[in-house]
Amino acid sequence: MKPSHALVLSLTLLGALPGVRSAAAEDIATLARAAAEAARDASSYRLVPNDVIEVRVYQEEDLTSKLRLAKDGTVTFPLLGTVNLGGKTVDECAGYLRELLGKDYLVNPQVTVTVAEYAKRRFTVLGQVQKPGSFEIPNEESVTLLQAIGMAGGYTRLANTSRVLVTRVGKDGRKTTYTLDVKSATNDTDTRPFEIRPDDTVTVPERVF
């Protein structure tokens, strides 16, 4: 069914209005900014265990691989064997694989690396918060201590915000516990936000009256 001439004319006139053009332009600009920010975040994201990456080598279909990072950050890649990519960005991975392949196997290889699947990155908040539990760090994003507490519904009225504990397990398996004065840090604009890492446990203790 074809639109009526009146409807076409109305849409044409509506599109010609300055306000409509301005709103549309603002929407496009907003989407463009969001896309640019997403691309920037993706390029700066550093790979962690259980991430799945896709590696492509131009005109070398046999080398196209989908690989999951092991607990130690390594993958097994054709020709190269075990390669450690943990902690690298996708651009750094591409450059590293390009260097290794170019050294002994290919002439000027063109390598691209993309993240096919992000590992689940979770942390736990316990104690005097409204909704204790386990929470997920969004893909390509970071979560500060304050944001983590907010995700758990915020403090209860009994919370001791001057001695919040963050327990972290290092690569060597050792536990480190940080005692943080969140109340003071919130009021100090010069204090750098404490960033939560995967598998951290945040404990908000009860105030002593």
Side-chain angles (χ1 to χ4, degrees):
M1 179 178 178
K2 294 183 179 180
S4 67
H5 294 297
L7 178 58
V8 173
L9 179 60
S10 298
L11 292 174
T12 303
L13 291 174
L14 183 61
L17 293 175
V20 174
R21 286 204 308 271
S22 177
E26 288 178 3
D27 289 342
I28 293 172
T30 300
L31 290 173
R33 285 195 298 270
E37 290 174 1
R40 184 172 62 250
D41 290 341
S43 64
S44 62
Y45 175 77
R46 295 190 176 276
L47 299 177
V48 298
N50 285 325
D51 278 343
V52 177
I53 60 172
E54 185 169 8
V55 182
R56 292 182 177 275
V57 182
Y58 182 62
Q59 291 186 337
E60 298 289 343
E61 294 298 325
D62 291 344
L63 296 182
T64 296
S65 305
K66 191 174 263 190
L67 311 166
R68 184 181 296 274
L69 271 69
K71 288 184 178 180
D72 59 358
T74 61
V75 297
T76 302
F77 190 75
L79 296 181
L80 301 178
T82 301
V83 181
N84 193 336
L85 300 180
K88 292 181 172 60
T89 67
V90 290
D91 288 342
E92 289 171 346
C93 289
Y96 184 49
L97 294 174
R98 187 183 306 120
E99 178 184 346
L100 294 178
L101 289 169
K103 185 180 297 183
D104 297 313
Y105 302 100
L106 302 174
V107 177
N108 191 28
Q110 302 301 307
V111 182
T112 59
V113 178
T114 55
V115 180
E117 180 184 330
Y118 290 95
K120 299 296 184 184
R121 303 182 300 155
R122 303 187 70 84
F123 63 91
T124 302
V125 184
L126 303 174
Q128 295 300 316
V129 290
Q130 301 291 341
K131 299 176 182 178
S134 181
F135 304 89
E136 189 171 326
I137 300 174
N139 292 338
E140 304 174 27
E141 296 181 21
S142 60
V143 171
T144 67
L145 177 56
L146 279 177
Q147 290 171 333
I149 293 169
M151 292 168 73
Y155 301 114
T156 69
R157 61 183 182 82
L158 300 177
N160 181 354
T161 60
S162 298
R163 291 187 59 81
V164 175
L165 307 177
V166 178
T167 302
R168 178 170 295 166
V169 179
K171 292 182 179 180
D172 57 0
R174 294 183 181 180
K175 289 185 177 181
T176 302
T177 298
Y178 302 88
T179 302
L180 304 164
D181 187 347
V182 180
K183 183 177 180 181
S184 296
T186 303
N187 299 323
D188 185 358
T189 56
D190 294 330
T191 300
R192 184 178 179 181
F194 187 92
E195 186 172 319
I196 296 299
R197 294 181 183 174
D199 301 321
D200 278 359
T201 298
V202 179
T203 304
V204 181
E206 184 177 337
R207 281 184 296 157
V208 178
F209 294 92

